Amino acid sequence: MQTTTKTHVRKYSGRRNRLSKPELLAPAGNLEKLKFAIHYGADAVYIGGQKYGLRSNADNFSFEEMREGVEFAKKYGAKVFVATNIYAHNEDLGGIEEYLRNLYNAGISAVIVADPVIVQTAQKAVPGLEVHLSTQQSTVNWQAVQFWKEEGLPRVVLGRETSMEEIEEIKRHVDVEIEAFIHGAMCSSYSGRCVLSNHFTDRDSNRGGCCQSCRWKYDLFEDARPEAETWISEEEALSDPVLQKFQLGVSQLPQFTEDDNAFTMGSKDLCMIEHVPDLIDVGVDSFKIEGRMKSIHYVATVVNVYRQAIDSYMADPDNYVLKPEWIEEINKAANRPLNTGFFYDTPDHEDHIYEPEEKAAPYDFAGLVMEYDSETGMATVQQRNHFKPGQEVEFFGPGGTFFKQTVGTIWDEEGNELDAARHPLQRVKFKVDRPVSYFDMMRKKK
């Protein structure tokens, strides 16, 4: 699978607005994912609390977990942000001041906010808590960015619809931090402000209840009224197995047959790994990865790749080379076909998924390295998915550690030989071909 499908023509000038290292901002759906994201190179993570966020189905964090996450992040010089980005109804606003104070007391560095009322409340009730404007505000022009800067916000998360050319103009006019999504799922609705979920399932997308209705399968129908050329008789309709299946009588004709692929409104995922220099040169201050609902394997893999690409370019911009293995690694974690979103052009029919989604990630997170004995070459691995002797696995870790090997004899911690590592979180031992480190990951093909 290729990360991009189009040849892009650079419309912006390409000059280096401000060559300083951007922040790499990763998603963390729970405390374990937070630790993996930071260990694999994130400068900051964004999480959700028990209220006021747009991912109510994520594990989300209690205040106690937030404090633990903040303490872990501090050890690595990282920050923790909290998404507080719902569009609030009247009943949502009770207790918001207390909630924001608790975030501040837990050590949270910033909140990501869409609703102007919550912006204003945070600024008044907890002036020490930094407020970042959420992408849900659909900010895509420099004058809107200037407005929010004048309202006291130090950072604006741009709408996903913003182009490179527009980012360049924003940075030329406004001295403010710009955060942009550079990897992950895209929304078919403008900046995620969707109401399909509300109508279909009574779950409010803008209050954290999105049911992913754009990913559902849909049929297409044509009216079969008497004046239409496609009109058919009731007798013909009753004898047609397709019409019988859909129980449509003579009023509508399905345009798909059983052999056709169902229609979906789902878009391809965003991936900018091939264009990290452009993002840095244009002045994006924070590279945001989408995916608080994604797996640990996804978060660690994607963060690890972007960390290497950013560091490589900043170390020697003039001699930077995109490594093929970075693209290969991204594809091992990708859930859908990938493209570059709105950065270079407006997505068209090639950027949506009409056929059954290509499940591109053929790998499972199989084990986590807990210990390594350099004298014996023996690793202690915590099982995360079933694996057994004779199976090929891959080890990878922060900074580009990577190798493949075949699993040999496996022992449990008591020294008993095993025919497989069957039990979740079971610790097993086996020899590895190269040195590994704590928190390195082992994956296997599905």
Side-chain angles (χ1 to χ4, degrees):
M1 183 187 68
Q2 295 180 342
T3 56
T4 57
T5 58
K6 297 180 180 180
T7 300
H8 299 293
V9 177
R10 179 185 273 182
K11 296 180 181 178
Y12 71 101
S13 68
R15 62 192 170 99
R16 292 173 182 168
N17 286 335
R18 182 188 44 76
L19 193 59
S20 59
K21 181 176 283 191
E23 170 188 89
L24 182 57
L25 176 58
N30 57 36
L31 187 57
E32 186 178 35
K33 292 177 185 178
L34 177 149
K35 293 178 179 180
F36 271 89
I38 292 173
H39 189 81
Y40 275 75
D43 300 303
V45 294
Y46 63 101
I47 67 175
Q50 300 296 323
K51 296 180 178 180
Y52 310 112
L54 289 185
R55 289 295 181 268
S56 59
N57 290 327
D59 291 345
N60 292 321
F61 286 66
S62 65
F63 292 121
E64 182 179 352
E65 289 172 326
M66 288 182 190
R67 284 188 284 272
E68 183 177 345
V70 168
E71 286 302 311
F72 181 87
K74 283 181 178 178
K75 295 177 182 178
Y76 289 82
K79 298 179 179 180
V80 180
F81 308 149
V82 173
T84 319
N85 54 345
I86 66 166
Y87 280 106
H89 289 242
N90 292 325
E91 61 267 26
D92 295 323
L93 293 173
I96 185 66
E97 290 189 16
E98 181 183 4
Y99 179 78
L100 292 168
R101 289 193 185 97
N102 285 334
L103 294 182
Y104 181 71
N105 292 333
I108 298 302
S109 295
V111 287
I112 306 167
V113 183
D115 196 311
V117 172
I118 300 179
V119 171
Q120 188 177 59
T121 302
Q123 290 175 324
K124 290 183 177 179
V126 197
L129 182 62
E130 198 168 281
V131 180
H132 299 170
L133 188 72
S134 170
T135 189
Q136 297 296 114
Q137 264 293 337
S138 310
T139 308
V140 295
N141 67 78
W142 74 264
Q143 294 187 60
V145 173
Q146 179 68 37
F147 169 84
W148 287 109
K149 181 188 177 183
E150 291 173 359
E151 289 297 308
L153 274 62
R155 178 182 295 192
V156 172
V157 187
L158 296 178
R160 285 177 172 86
E161 300 76 20
T162 316
S163 69
M164 281 284 190
E165 190 176 13
E166 290 168 326
I167 294 174
E168 182 179 49
E169 187 172 4
I170 289 168
K171 294 297 292 187
R172 188 165 62 247
H173 285 92
V174 189
D175 182 16
V176 69
E177 290 185 2
I178 291 299
E179 183 179 307
F181 280 96
I182 54 89
H183 195 94
M186 297 287 280
C187 183
S188 294
S189 295
Y190 200 84
S191 291
R193 295 201 275 186
C194 178
V195 294
L196 285 178
S197 179
N198 304 53
H199 288 290
F200 290 159
T201 65
D202 198 28
R203 288 167 52 181
D204 193 336
S205 302
N206 299 298
R207 297 166 82 187
C210 180
C211 68
Q212 298 286 310
S213 49
C214 60
R215 303 287 180 189
W216 294 1
K217 295 179 179 179
Y218 294 87
D219 209 334
L220 182 66
F221 301 93
E222 180 182 352
D223 284 341
R225 295 168 294 180
E227 64 271 20
E229 293 182 4
T230 55
W231 182 82
I232 60 174
S233 68
E234 183 174 358
E235 181 180 355
E236 290 173 315
L238 293 175
S239 66
D240 188 316
V242 176
L243 293 179
Q244 288 177 19
K245 176 184 177 182
F246 287 94
Q247 299 179 347
L248 296 173
V250 296
S251 60
Q252 290 179 317
L253 291 174
Q255 300 302 294
F256 294 160
T257 69
E258 289 186 357
D259 296 329
D260 290 330
N261 294 319
F263 175 82
T264 174
M265 292 176 282
S267 59
K268 294 180 180 180
D269 282 3
L270 174 66
C271 176
M272 289 294 286
I273 189 59
E274 297 180 35
H275 307 281
V276 165
D278 284 357
L279 292 166
I280 295 175
D281 291 351
V282 83
V284 175
D285 297 276
S286 180
F287 286 20
K288 189 169 192 174
I289 299 168
E290 182 274 339
R292 279 191 284 146
M293 301 286 286
K294 298 290 179 63
S295 69
I296 291 171
H297 173 252
Y298 175 93
V299 172
T301 301
V302 174
V303 169
N304 197 19
V305 171
Y306 278 98
R307 176 78 281 150
Q308 293 175 65
I310 292 169
D311 291 349
S312 178
Y313 182 67
M314 295 303 302
D316 190 357
D318 294 329
N319 295 300
Y320 171 81
V321 176
L322 174 70
K323 295 183 179 180
E325 55 263 36
W326 293 341
I327 298 175
E328 184 179 349
E329 281 292 291
I330 287 290
N331 287 335
K332 288 176 181 177
N335 291 292
R336 303 182 184 98
L338 306 171
N339 68 7
T340 56
F342 289 80
F343 280 107
Y344 297 99
D345 49 30
T346 301
D348 58 20
H349 65 282
E350 294 182 4
D351 299 293
H352 287 75
I353 302 169
Y354 302 108
E355 300 186 11
E357 288 188 6
E358 176 188 347
K359 295 300 180 182
Y363 289 85
D364 278 328
F365 175 24
L368 178 66
V369 176
M370 307 303 294
E371 296 176 9
Y372 173 68
D373 187 331
S374 59
E375 293 184 3
T376 63
M378 194 77 69
T380 301
V381 176
Q382 184 186 72
Q383 191 259 38
R384 293 303 182 99
N385 263 300
H386 178 283
F387 66 92
K388 60 185 179 181
Q391 193 166 23
E392 186 179 70
V393 295
E394 296 180 358
F395 284 92
F396 71 98
T401 298
F402 177 84
F403 66 93
K404 297 180 182 180
Q405 76 165 70
T406 299
V407 177
T409 305
I410 301 175
W411 297 271
D412 65 18
E413 289 190 290
E414 285 71 44
N416 301 307
E417 187 174 334
L418 304 172
D419 64 346
R422 302 181 181 280
H423 308 295
L425 304 184
Q426 177 185 21
R427 291 193 177 208
V428 299
K429 296 177 181 289
F430 61 93
K431 286 190 175 182
V432 290
D433 293 348
R434 299 184 193 176
V436 290
S437 301
Y438 175 64
F439 249 61
D440 282 358
M441 297 175 72
M442 185 183 84
R443 61 185 168 215
K444 63 171 186 174
K445 279 192 175 182
K446 293 183 180 179

